Amino acid sequence: DENGSAGPEKSVSENQHHEGDHGEAHHGLSPNAPIIHEIGPLQITNSMVVTIVVALLIILVAQAATSNVQLIPSGLQNFVELLVESLYGFFESILGPDMVKQTFWFFATIFIFILFANWFGLIPGMGTMGWGMDSHGHFSKPLLRGANADVNMTLAMAAIFMVLWLYWSLKALGAGGFAGHIFNVKGHGAGFFGVFLVIVFIFVGMIEIVSIGVRPVALTFRLYGNVFAGENILETVMKLGGPWFGWLAVLPFYFLELLVGLVQALVFALLASVFTALMCEHHGDE
């Protein structure tokens, strides 16, 4: 107006400007994986690129280790055999000798993939290659992002496990045995006390159903939360250390994240195998 007051349009513009500055001041890893390319309805994110790269590397290593199998293993074949045999013994102690034959392919694969995806995400340069610079010198579209720092990846693995868990459980118990394992309403006798126990076990079964429904959520966010938080911590500590000492300040956290990557891969595979064993144990005798 004539007095030079801001007016509503200017106030809104200033508020949006301040909000934009506040958003740009956030340097951490974005919750959503940026889309770097679209093929029709399929959106390719930077975490999908890392997923494909890690999967291809694992396949190439496995092919190279088994291309010329020797009776007395050495080199890469020895390393791969040691890894597989150790995992087989570990999961056999949880699942039993029969169930491990049916499920080992999944649990070993999920452990190896999560482990190397976590470690691959710690390679220097991850998240620092891309295009579209912002005002703070960051790439607005980084080319690479840790696979498990994307909740879509961890959710997909948890969902696939739950589908397989249901298949393995129904195969081992049958539909009636599956329901009976959850509710356990048989064998409590007659009379008031027997009816009371039936009601109690029905209530416990309902709680068990809720627990089963929570499992994929817990698996998803435990892995995602640890990896996502770890990458943000590394970036924050690096910036606090400045351009000269950032690499030194972040070094202890870097080795800690190597350990976290191993622990989280083990926890995901361990919990998944324990959930399977709790439902299928003692029902796989040949």
Side-chain angles (χ1 to χ4, degrees), residues 234-262:
L234 291 178
E235 182 176 350
T236 301
V237 173
M238 178 76 76
K239 291 184 181 300
L240 290 176
W244 298 104
F245 299 103
W247 67 271
L248 184 60
V250 82
L251 205 57
F253 296 92
Y254 188 86
F255 287 107
L256 179 61
E257 285 304 308
L258 287 174
L259 178 60
V260 169
L262 171 62

Side-chain angles (χ1 to χ4, degrees), residues 152-202:
N152 296 287
M153 184 65 213
T154 58
L155 176 60
M157 290 188 293
I160 290 172
F161 162 68
M162 291 306 297
V163 171
L164 290 171
W165 173 85
L166 183 61
Y167 168 74
W168 292 326
S169 300
L170 291 174
K171 184 179 179 182
L173 305 175
F178 181 83
H181 186 92
I182 293 177
F183 292 100
N184 193 23
V185 295
K186 294 183 179 180
H188 301 300
F192 173 79
F193 189 69
V195 173
F196 174 75
L197 286 179
V198 167
I199 295 174
V200 169
F201 277 100
I202 290 176

Side-chain angles (χ1 to χ4, degrees), residues 5-279:
S5 59
E9 292 184 0
K10 185 176 180 181
S11 300
V12 171
S13 177
E14 288 179 349
N15 289 337
Q16 292 175 343
H17 177 72
H18 289 309
E19 288 175 0
D21 290 344
H22 180 73
E24 289 182 358
H26 177 70
H27 302 310
L29 192 68
S30 62
N32 299 323
I35 299 170
I36 59 176
H37 190 64
E38 293 186 10
I39 305 176
L42 178 63
Q43 297 177 334
I44 307 297
T45 64
N46 53 4
S47 64
M48 290 173 65
V49 173
V50 174
T51 299
I52 294 170
V53 171
V54 172
L56 288 176
L57 288 175
I58 293 173
I59 292 170
L60 290 174
V61 170
Q63 291 293 324
T66 57
S67 60
N68 185 23
V69 177
Q70 302 293 325
L71 184 61
I72 301 177
S74 61
L76 185 60
Q77 180 189 341
N78 190 44
F79 168 75
V80 172
E81 285 192 10
L82 177 63
L83 176 61
V84 172
E85 289 176 2
S86 300
L87 288 174
Y88 191 90
F90 174 73
F91 289 118
E92 185 178 22
S93 66
I94 299 172
L95 296 160
D98 181 63
M99 200 64 198
V100 73
K101 296 175 184 177
Q102 304 178 47
T103 61
F104 176 70
W105 64 271
F106 174 78
F107 295 124
T109 300
I110 209 74
F111 171 80
I112 292 171
F113 174 78
I114 293 174
L115 174 63
F116 288 104
N118 288 345
W119 284 354
F120 190 87
L122 297 175
I123 295 176
M126 289 287 294
T128 58
M129 295 182 291
W131 59 89
M133 287 285 186
D134 60 20
S135 59
H136 299 283
H138 288 75
F139 290 109
S140 58
K141 287 190 175 182
L143 178 62
L144 301 175
R145 174 194 181 103
N148 294 319
D150 184 356
V151 72
N152 296 287
M153 184 65 213
T154 58
L155 176 60
M157 290 188 293
I160 290 172
F161 162 68
M162 291 306 297
V163 171
L164 290 171
W165 173 85
L166 183 61
Y167 168 74
W168 292 326
S169 300
L170 291 174
K171 184 179 179 182
L173 305 175
F178 181 83
H181 186 92
I182 293 177
F183 292 100
N184 193 23
V185 295
K186 294 183 179 180
H188 301 300
F192 173 79
F193 189 69
V195 173
F196 174 75
L197 286 179
V198 167
I199 295 174
V200 169
F201 277 100
I202 290 176
F203 180 73
V204 171
M206 294 174 65
I207 296 176
E208 179 66 13
I209 291 175
V210 174
S211 173
I212 292 171
V214 169
R215 288 173 185 176
V217 179
L219 289 172
T220 297
F221 287 101
R222 179 183 288 107
L223 177 58
Y224 164 72
N226 279 278
V227 176
F228 181 81
E231 294 199 10
N232 276 288
I233 288 173
L234 291 178
E235 182 176 350
T236 301
V237 173
M238 178 76 76
K239 291 184 181 300
L240 290 176
W244 298 104
F245 299 103
W247 67 271
L248 184 60
V250 82
L251 205 57
F253 296 92
Y254 188 86
F255 287 107
L256 179 61
E257 285 304 308
L258 287 174
L259 178 60
V260 169
L262 171 62
V263 170
Q264 290 306 313
L266 182 62
V267 166
F268 193 102
L270 176 62
L271 286 177
S273 61
V274 168
F275 292 152
T276 304
L278 287 175
M279 180 60 72

